[in-house]
Amino acid sequence: MKRIALLFILYSLFFSPAGAQTDTLVINHPRKVTIISSDSLQRVIVSGKQGDDDFRYQNTIRLVDANYESNVNISRDHWELIPSVKVGRTRSDTASYSRHTNELTAHLGIGFTCPTSVDQRIDFSTFKSWEIFATIAQWDHFLDRRERNKVSLGLGIDWRNYRITDDLFFTKAPDGNVTVDKYPLEYEPKFSRIKVFSLTATLRYEHDFGDGFAIGFGPVFNFNTYASIKTRYKLLGDKIKHTEKNIRQRPITIDWMLNMRIAEVPFYVKYSNDDVLKDGGIKFRSLSFGLYL
């Protein structure tokens, strides 16, 4: 009976009438192919394909007298700007399909800084002040079979600048603290900014609600290894750049990061309760927002 069913399927596929509608599906480099046969049922399950370990194709053919019914299920294709690598042990969801409990991923954030608790003398230019950060290696551990809940640990780097464009500029006072001063009348201001570079460590919990919506929250520990001031202006038509280093940034600050994915578009917001600079300098705290890929 199994041989008759298989011959009937092959005949239907290769010798169907010219007017019949046919579909072609090519799956390159499948990870696993399972074929289950019985007297009245033929099931083909393909797990994984080239570039997508989560791909799943299932075709069930039921023989009814001299006819057959076909039911096909294909997991939707998806793409990611940042690749991921499956690591660690796997858990079995069915006898023929398994999923990894861990992933190694990388992420990129691009956004703007909007300082809070700012010294009254300063007016920061939000959309001219930017943040770029990269989580170079992030370990994601899934807490459930459906991979809706995960805990993430990551290491990365961060650049942030805080820019002003009015008639004030940042400068380092003789005691090493950062203050602001007015440009002389003969100067033509361009901008003055504070830049901070950090090594980062992240800890975050994330829940995926499905349908392209997810939300995560957790701390980001910033080890602020470098900071500087750069001021640009014109004097008698000449372009001048002035840079000052060792501006007494706080060595360690903590951001609280909220990341969301809405309709598959990822966003983030980060806020710190810590002042960017040590006591004695001008006061402001970091708030940033943007895309988190």
Side-chain angles (χ1 to χ4, degrees):
M1 181 65 181
K2 294 181 180 179
R3 292 184 179 180
I4 296 175
L6 183 58
L7 289 173
F8 180 78
I9 293 170
L10 293 175
Y11 177 85
S12 300
L13 292 175
F14 295 105
F15 299 100
S16 58
Q21 182 179 358
T22 60
D23 293 320
T24 301
L25 175 65
V26 178
I27 303 174
N28 293 322
H29 305 297
R31 178 166 52 83
K32 186 177 182 180
V33 178
T34 304
I35 301 175
I36 303 172
S37 299
S38 66
D39 290 342
S40 61
L41 180 141
Q42 178 86 23
R43 177 177 295 171
V44 178
I45 301 172
V46 180
S47 301
K49 69 175 183 178
Q50 185 176 19
D52 185 0
D53 286 342
D54 292 333
F55 176 83
R56 181 175 171 87
Y57 168 88
Q58 180 172 305
N59 187 356
T60 301
I61 299 174
R62 295 180 177 87
L63 298 177
V64 180
D65 298 329
N67 301 311
Y68 71 91
E69 298 176 358
S70 178
N71 182 20
V72 179
N73 181 276
I74 306 176
S75 66
R76 66 181 182 86
D77 289 338
H78 66 278
W79 57 273
E80 297 178 353
L81 292 176
I82 306 298
S84 63
V85 177
K86 306 292 185 180
V87 296
R89 64 184 180 87
T90 63
R91 63 158 64 98
S92 295
D93 285 348
T94 66
S96 61
Y97 190 60
S98 62
R99 299 184 69 86
H100 289 253
T101 58
N102 303 295
E103 279 186 340
L104 185 63
T105 60
H107 299 275
L108 177 67
I110 303 174
F112 302 99
T113 60
C114 179
T116 65
S117 304
V118 180
D119 189 302
Q120 294 182 353
R121 297 170 293 171
I122 303 172
D123 184 16
F124 284 98
S125 301
T126 296
F127 293 103
K128 294 183 180 179
S129 304
W130 48 260
E131 176 182 38
I132 298 177
F133 66 94
T135 305
I136 299 173
Q138 178 171 294
W139 177 74
D140 300 324
H141 176 69
F142 295 100
L143 303 175
D144 61 313
R145 287 178 175 266
R146 299 180 65 190
E147 299 187 359
R148 291 294 180 90
N149 299 278
K150 68 179 180 180
V151 176
S152 302
L153 298 171
L155 298 175
I157 52 179
D158 186 293
W159 293 269
R160 276 182 270 206
N161 73 29
Y162 310 91
R163 181 179 294 206
I164 55 177
T165 56
D166 53 16
D167 59 348
L168 295 176
F169 66 94
F170 297 116
T171 185
K172 188 169 69 171
D175 60 1
N177 292 315
V178 174
T179 185
V180 291
D181 202 352
K182 283 194 173 184
Y183 289 97
L185 293 178
E186 63 272 21
Y187 285 26
E188 182 183 343
K190 293 299 181 183
F191 69 84
S192 185
R193 64 101 176 107
I194 292 173
K195 179 177 72 175
V196 180
F197 173 79
S198 310
L199 303 176
T200 62
T202 64
L203 171 63
R204 189 167 63 257
Y205 165 78
E206 183 173 314
H207 178 73
D208 189 343
F209 293 89
D211 297 325
F213 177 63
I215 187 169
F217 183 75
V220 181
F221 300 91
N222 303 296
F223 302 91
N224 306 310
T225 60
Y226 175 84
S228 67
I229 294 171
K230 181 162 69 175
T231 301
R232 288 186 179 272
Y233 56 90
K234 283 187 177 181
L235 177 61
L236 301 177
D238 294 330
K239 295 181 179 179
I240 308 296
K241 179 180 72 172
H242 181 65
T243 303
E244 294 178 286
K245 302 177 182 179
N246 301 318
I247 61 172
R248 301 190 73 241
Q249 76 276 10
R250 287 192 179 275
I252 300 176
T253 55
I254 299 175
D255 294 326
W256 294 97
M257 178 173 171
L258 174 71
N259 66 287
M260 299 182 67
R261 191 173 71 251
I262 302 175
E264 298 297 347
V265 179
F267 303 93
Y268 81 91
V269 177
K270 290 198 294 185
Y271 173 72
S272 176
N273 290 320
D274 303 313
D275 290 322
V276 173
L277 303 175
K278 292 181 178 180
D279 293 338
I282 57 174
K283 297 290 186 181
F284 66 95
R285 296 175 181 177
S286 181
L287 171 67
S288 59
F289 60 92
L291 293 176
Y292 180 63
L293 307 177

